[in-house]
Amino acid sequence: MDTVIHDRYVSRTERQAGMVVREEPVVYNEGTYADALSAEQLSAYQDKGFLVLEELFSPQEVKKLLAEVKALGERDDLQNRPELVTEPDSQELRSLFSVHQFSTMFERLMQDPRLVNVARQILGSEVYVHQSRVNYKPGFDGDEFYWHSDFETWHVEDGMPEMRALSCSVLLTDNDACNGPLMLIPGSHRTFLVCPGETPENHHERSLKKQEFGVPDPLSLTLLVEEYGGIEALEAKAGSVVLFDSNAMHGSAGNISPWPRVNAYFVYNSVENKLETPKYGLEPRPEYLAHRKNTQTIQPKPFQDN
Ligand code: 6CS
Ligand code: FE
């Protein structure tokens, strides 16, 4: 008899909704693999699924990175590339994916021990980068990112086996109540929400502008918020870093303030968790969204040599 491959995290099939209890650890090997976060910080991350590291990068580092983001957005050779995603209803920049492959400065940031060693400690192994991006969320025109679990997308569309990845969001501008800060549901990382609807072909061509599949139904979201006690809007100064688990339920509202909300994201995946075949016969997404070839272990190297 053929062995039935059991997938714990089935989503986007005929089931309209469902909640699956996470089986994987949140912090692997009790955080002993590397020494970056304190026991209190690890415990907070374990409990909530996210953690803010206040002003980890200096104003000088942020200034350099923000200038680089601006320059990248204006580069002629990037204008028609698929990695550069505009807002759904305007030509305003929404995201630049694979930013570490277009910019040596962001490649160095991605390798910085202040980020890599945190990922190695939480994931309990060496790590590689699954995806990087800059979200521009411009003033007046930055659209929302509706509620979702990154892992739900990465499991279904990229074939990521387990919840053994995390995102590091490096805030390049202040994130406050007015410019669409990241919102997370504390504790939501411990429950996998099954999403309705069958994934369309080439879904990413639409989902990166406005995600309509892989988003949970309102009742499931309400239950999650009530089960775990609310929503946290992460307000922090530029230079801060928000770490969040691959399965943490998150989103952000649109930005109608005059102030852009510019954040860089590095998704670190455990080298023990490399991508397999996408689910349900889906074609693998492009390399710039989900690294399958460039999966070399990151050697931590300080961002600033001086
Ligand atoms: O599809 C993805 O991989 C991207 N989409 C969202 C909404 N968050 C994670 C990632 O940037
Ligand atoms: Fe996301």
Side-chain angles (χ1 to χ4, degrees):
M1 185 179 86
D2 292 344
T3 47
V4 176
I5 308 287
H6 172 67
D7 178 6
R8 282 201 297 275
Y9 303 121
V10 171
S11 185
R12 302 193 217 175
T13 60
E14 69 290 341
R15 274 198 291 180
Q16 285 309 299
M19 291 183 154
V20 179
V21 176
R22 175 188 188 128
E23 295 195 358
E24 297 92 331
V26 176
V27 174
Y28 285 74
N29 306 339
E30 289 85 42
T32 58
Y33 191 82
D35 184 15
L37 297 178
S38 68
E40 293 73 27
Q41 288 176 310
L42 284 175
S43 163
Y45 181 86
Q46 166 91 18
D47 181 44
K48 293 174 78 170
F50 58 88
L51 179 71
V52 181
L53 304 177
E54 301 284 353
E55 299 180 68
L56 195 64
F57 293 94
S58 71
Q60 296 71 19
E61 290 173 312
V62 169
K63 189 163 179 248
K64 278 186 189 173
L65 289 161
L66 209 45
E68 176 79 346
V69 164
K70 188 171 180 306
L72 284 164
E74 292 163 358
R75 263 175 52 178
D76 290 339
D77 62 321
L78 299 185
Q79 291 318 305
N80 299 314
R81 290 191 65 109
E83 294 91 340
L84 198 59
V85 180
T86 54
E87 293 289 0
D89 304 319
S90 75
Q91 284 312 301
E92 287 280 348
L93 297 186
R94 180 173 173 88
S95 304
L96 172 62
F97 282 88
S98 221
V99 64
H100 69 285
Q101 293 185 325
F102 290 121
S103 158
T104 312
M105 190 187 292
F106 275 92
E107 184 184 24
R108 297 296 300 271
L109 179 64
M110 179 264 288
Q111 296 164 339
D112 191 287
R114 290 169 284 185
L115 301 179
V116 179
N117 288 336
V118 167
R120 292 172 67 241
Q121 182 176 26
I122 288 174
L123 303 178
S125 72
E126 293 310 311
V127 297
Y128 74 95
V129 65
H130 163 66
Q131 179 188 102
S132 75
R133 66 193 184 277
V134 169
N135 282 347
Y136 283 78
K137 198 174 268 201
F140 299 118
D141 213 351
D143 272 26
E144 86 276 0
F145 288 81
Y146 191 73
W147 292 109
H148 64 282
S149 150
D150 292 337
F151 177 75
E152 194 276 345
T153 291
W154 298 338
H155 183 66
V156 169
E157 297 191 58
D158 298 335
M160 183 182 279
E162 303 218 330
M163 296 176 184
R164 194 172 181 181
L166 63 83
S167 292
C168 284
S169 171
V170 182
L171 279 54
L172 299 181
T173 58
D174 292 352
N175 282 216
D176 60 37
C178 305
N179 65 351
L182 187 64
M183 296 186 290
L184 286 135
I185 301 173
S188 59
H189 60 305
R190 291 197 290 269
T191 302
F192 179 83
L193 285 196
V194 174
C195 297
E198 189 179 329
T199 313
E201 292 285 312
N202 298 319
H203 178 225
H204 62 279
E205 290 172 1
R206 180 76 195 139
S207 69
L208 301 181
K209 286 176 174 282
K210 186 175 178 50
Q211 190 169 358
E212 289 158 339
F213 293 87
V215 294
D217 65 287
L219 175 60
S220 299
L221 280 166
T222 306
L223 291 172
L224 207 61
V225 169
E226 288 173 1
E227 159 84 9
Y228 288 116
I231 296 172
E232 275 192 42
L234 300 193
E235 298 186 66
K237 290 289 180 203
S240 302
V241 172
V242 178
L243 314 172
F244 56 102
D245 180 88
S246 63
N247 188 47
M249 189 58 63
H250 64 286
S252 58
N255 182 8
I256 57 170
S257 83
W259 310 299
R261 189 218 72 176
V262 185
N263 295 344
Y265 295 76
F266 298 110
V267 181
Y268 297 100
N269 191 20
S270 165
V271 293
E272 315 293 332
N273 195 41
K274 291 188 179 178
L275 303 186
E276 295 172 352
T277 314
K279 301 298 175 190
Y280 322 125
L282 287 168
E283 284 301 309
R285 295 202 301 171
E287 184 72 10
Y288 69 84
L289 277 181
H291 288 328
R292 294 174 184 277
K293 294 194 214 79
N294 303 306
T295 62
Q296 52 277 14
T297 295
I298 302 171
Q299 302 303 330
K301 197 162 45 177
F303 171 54
Q304 301 282 27
D305 280 340
N306 51 27

